[in-house]
């Protein structure tokens, strides 16, 4: 046996050993993953939420094509900590699923939520099939920057230029291998020379096409996953099989596009691909195939996302035992036992909202949390057909907030300017005469008392002429007097004791707030007695005379 042949056999044996070792390690990982998936079912995910930058980019690209009736704008999304809500819902195993769940929470059509209840119910009751689907998606895994949806929508190429070069260069090592059996020196020389040329050319071209190859790589692995999923019995099996059919032939060189984890098998696969230019041959093959099947590929992507979305909603409902499905009807919003999903120990409250509302009460008494509970559940109701309440009925509508307003240094806006811009966008939405659910926290607090109350009352009065419902949280009790019967009034209460300080029950009460705790709280914090006495006298005089007394030498004079 000649030396070149022995070298080739030795290399081949090493490759086989590495492949066998990789199979053993892969099997062990699969067993661990299976145990984890079974143990974590019905629990809120504790994993990362992913990079919102890439999730948002995928959503915006998708929304540009779909254009739903309602989109949750960035300010509302941030005000309501919706990315944290997304993390609770995101019990997905792949980027296809994560992108689908994120997009589902950010946009919806008015009417019945776009979810497959039959599929959700199936995954709640069929643990074996659900586990098989989860394992298939786990095999696909995540590539947060995959950019595959954007690639499908924007790529117009049908083939790489001069694609024949890759086939010629890729065949040279095979020619050398054949010659090595007859003319060893010549064959080995051709092999070595072609490998050097191919490796250099592969690295050079791969860098230029890196983004496209990454996008296509994840897309091809997605199609491979779909081919496994069509074998699993579930309600959308036939539709998934039909969506996969036009993609046949794309996965012939799928191993070239396998996910990278820097393992030894990955290094071998990458080197093997560069030897025979398989990466570019496979890329060109898929490019040609997809040229005529972009729409079908997007349909398949959507169908796969729907599977993981259904599993995520099923897990969310199981984890939140108090969840229910909402009812939709024209008119008021009503609910019993509504809670906020991000609180570990929430206090449930009712909702009876038939006209614009004012909500008053001390800081930390529960006003903002209650307002956010309504807003978040209004979004969940219309996106995933799920609410954290015993029962909720609402008319479909856009959800918009103006709550956690901040200075905008990039725009040169002060707090007050940023605040009035946030409220103005809400006014524009309300002026469309569609149902809008608006939520304003501490309205116009960035300006002086007189103008704040005057402008706030005018805003609320203007809103009353439109078919929207807006709740305004405020410390200005004067607004409850000014608005009278035009608004319903809610408040939260507290007790102040020397022993415990301020104690809140976090329960909703009807009517405006009647208690004041700020000065009492100063007393519990050991502020000087003369200061406390002056503060109480000032407050009492104002309540009696509706005018502020003045300081005189020696004390306060009414």
């Amino acid at each position: 046996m000649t030396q070149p042949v022995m070298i080739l056999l030795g290399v081949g044996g090493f490759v086989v050993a590495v492949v066998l070792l990789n199979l053993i390690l892969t099997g062990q990982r699969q067993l661990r993953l299976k145990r984890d998936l079974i143990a974590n079912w019905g629990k809120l995910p504790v994993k990362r939420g992913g990079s919102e930058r890439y999730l948002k980019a995928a959503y915006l690209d998708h929304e540009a094509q779909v254009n739903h009736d309602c989109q949750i704008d960035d300010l509302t999304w941030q005000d309501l900590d919706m990315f944290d809500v997304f993390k609770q819902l995101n019990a997905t195993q792949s980027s296809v699923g994560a992108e689908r769940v994120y997009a589902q929470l950010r946009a919806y059509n008015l009417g019945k939520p776009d979810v497959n209840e039959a599929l959700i119910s199936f995954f709640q009751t069929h643990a074996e099939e659900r586990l098989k689907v989860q394992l298939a998606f786990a095999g696909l895994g995540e590539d947060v920057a995959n950019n595959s949806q954007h690639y499908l929508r924007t790529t117009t190429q049908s083939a790489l230029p001069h694609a024949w070069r890759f086939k010629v260069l890729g065949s040279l090592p095979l020619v050398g291998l054949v010659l090595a059996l007859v003319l060893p020196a010549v064959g080995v020389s051709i092999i070595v020379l072609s490998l050097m040329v191919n490796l250099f050319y592969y690295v050079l071209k791969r860098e230029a096409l890196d983004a496209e190859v990454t996008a296509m790589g994840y897309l091809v692995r997605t199609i491979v996953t779909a081919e496994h999923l069509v074998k699993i019995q579930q309600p959308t099996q036939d539709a998934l099989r039909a969506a996969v059919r036009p993609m046949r032939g794309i996965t012939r060189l799928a191993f070239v596009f396998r996910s990278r984890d820097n393992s030894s098998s990955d290094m071998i696969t990458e080197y093997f691909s560069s030897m025979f230019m398989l990466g570019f041959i496979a890329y060109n093959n898929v490019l040609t195939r997809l040229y005529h099947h972009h729409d079908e590929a997007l349909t398949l992507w959507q169908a796969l996302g729907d599977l993981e979305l259904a599993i995520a909603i099923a897990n969310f409902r199981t984890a939140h035992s108090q969840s229910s499905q909402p009812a939709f009807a024209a008119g008021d919003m009503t609910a019993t036992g509504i809670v906020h999903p991000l609180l570990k120990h929430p206090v449930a409250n009712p909702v009876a909202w038939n006209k614009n509302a004012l909500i008053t009460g001390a800081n930390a008494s529960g006003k903002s949390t209650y307002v956010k509970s309504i807003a978040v559940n209004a979004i969940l109701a219309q996106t995933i057909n799920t609410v954290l309440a015993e029962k909720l009925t609402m008319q479909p509508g856009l959800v918009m907030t103006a709550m956690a307003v901040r200075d905008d240094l990039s725009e040169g806006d002060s707090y007050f300017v940023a605040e009035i811009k946030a409220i103005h966008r809400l006014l524009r939405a309300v002026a469309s005469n569609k149902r809008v659910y608006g939520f304003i926290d501490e309205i116009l607090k960035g300006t002086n008392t007189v103008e704040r109350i005057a402008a706030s009352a005018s805003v609320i009065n203007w809103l009353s002429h439109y078919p929207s419902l807006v709740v305004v949280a405020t410390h200005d009790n004067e607004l409850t007097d000014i608005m009278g019967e035009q608004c319903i009034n809610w408040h939260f209460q507290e007790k102040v004791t020397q022993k415990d300080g301020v104690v809140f029950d976090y329960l909703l009460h009807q009517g405006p707030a009647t208690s004041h705790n700020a000065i009492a709280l100063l007393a519990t914090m050991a502020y000087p007695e003369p200061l406390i006495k002056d503060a109480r006298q000032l407050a009492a005089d104002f309540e009696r005379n509706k005018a502020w007394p003045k300081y005189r030498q020696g004390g306060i004079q009414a």
Side-chain angles (χ1 to χ4, degrees), residues 512-547:
T514 57
S515 62
H516 304 285
N517 69 12
I519 298 174
L521 184 57
L522 297 182
T524 67
M525 300 295 291
Y527 271 56
E529 280 296 329
L531 183 155
I532 301 298
K533 181 181 177 181
D534 279 359
R536 283 177 174 155
Q537 184 177 340
L538 279 166
D541 287 345
F542 180 82
E543 291 287 350
R544 183 174 58 255
N545 303 318
K546 299 301 180 184

Side-chain angles (χ1 to χ4, degrees), residues 280-540:
F280 296 116
I281 294 172
Y283 179 87
N284 190 66
N285 176 56
V286 177
L287 193 64
T288 303
R289 187 80 177 180
L290 284 178
Y291 181 72
H292 300 289
H293 296 288
H294 278 206
D295 291 342
E296 292 90 338
L298 285 169
T299 298
L300 177 60
W301 186 281
Q302 178 76 15
L304 294 176
D306 287 345
L307 279 176
E308 283 223 270
L309 174 65
I311 291 177
I313 295 174
N315 184 77
F316 185 80
R317 291 178 181 177
T318 304
H320 286 289
S321 58
Q322 73 275 43
S323 66
S324 64
Q325 293 180 40
F328 296 95
D332 310 345
M333 177 188 284
T334 60
T336 55
I338 196 169
V339 297
H340 197 295
L342 298 182
L343 296 181
K344 291 184 178 179
H345 304 290
V347 175
N349 277 296
V351 178
W353 192 11
N354 58 1
K355 58 183 176 180
N356 293 334
L358 290 170
I359 182 167
T360 50
N363 285 321
S365 62
K367 298 192 310 296
S368 296
T369 299
Y370 179 67
V371 168
K372 289 180 179 180
S373 297
I374 300 174
V376 170
N377 277 286
I379 293 174
L380 295 180
Q382 299 179 90
T383 55
I384 63 171
N385 202 36
T386 305
V387 291
L388 271 65
E390 296 171 16
K391 182 171 63 174
L392 183 143
T393 301
M394 65 178 291
Q395 178 178 328
L398 173 65
V399 177
M400 186 172 285
T401 66
M403 301 182 75
V405 179
R406 304 174 183 85
D407 296 353
D408 190 343
L409 297 179
S410 64
E411 295 292 331
D413 291 343
S414 67
Y415 177 89
F416 182 65
V417 171
E419 185 178 25
I420 61 176
K421 282 184 175 181
I423 294 175
H424 189 231
R425 89 192 204 293
L426 174 59
L427 300 184
R428 290 197 304 269
V430 168
S432 68
N433 276 311
K434 297 179 181 178
R435 173 57 65 95
V436 175
Y437 293 100
F439 304 86
I440 305 175
D441 193 19
E442 297 192 34
I443 183 170
L444 300 178
K445 69 177 182 180
T447 191
N448 64 80
T449 303
V450 173
E451 290 188 297
R452 178 176 66 249
I453 294 172
S456 297
S458 299
V459 167
I460 298 166
N461 179 63
W462 185 91
L463 290 169
S464 68
H465 295 89
Y466 294 89
S468 295
L469 289 177
V470 179
V471 59
V472 176
T474 180
H475 288 288
D476 295 317
N477 279 25
E478 294 90 341
L479 284 175
T480 64
D481 296 327
I482 295 172
M483 302 315 301
E485 296 297 318
Q486 193 180 108
C487 294
I488 52 175
N489 284 279
W490 302 324
H491 73 276
F492 284 83
Q493 296 179 353
E494 74 294 326
K495 292 181 180 179
V496 180
T497 66
Q498 192 67 37
K499 177 182 177 182
D500 300 319
V502 181
V503 178
F504 302 105
D505 60 14
Y506 304 111
L507 294 174
L508 181 71
H509 299 270
Q510 299 300 312
T514 57
S515 62
H516 304 285
N517 69 12
I519 298 174
L521 184 57
L522 297 182
T524 67
M525 300 295 291
Y527 271 56
E529 280 296 329
L531 183 155
I532 301 298
K533 181 181 177 181
D534 279 359
R536 283 177 174 155
Q537 184 177 340
L538 279 166

Side-chain angles (χ1 to χ4, degrees), residues 89-146:
L89 182 59
N90 186 31
T92 63
Q93 307 301 317
S94 72
S95 290
V96 177
E99 289 177 11
R100 182 71 180 88
V101 171
Y102 185 87
Q104 186 74 10
L105 286 178
R106 292 224 52 164
Y108 54 91
N109 289 321
L110 297 175
K112 188 172 177 59
D114 182 23
V115 296
N116 189 330
E117 283 297 335
L119 192 58
I120 296 169
S121 298
F122 178 85
F123 285 131
Q124 284 180 307
T125 56
H126 292 72
E128 183 178 349
E129 288 80 2
R130 181 185 69 231
L131 181 60
K132 289 179 181 178
V133 172
Q134 288 180 295
L135 287 170
F137 278 113
L140 171 61
E142 293 185 333
D143 184 345
V144 294
N146 67 83

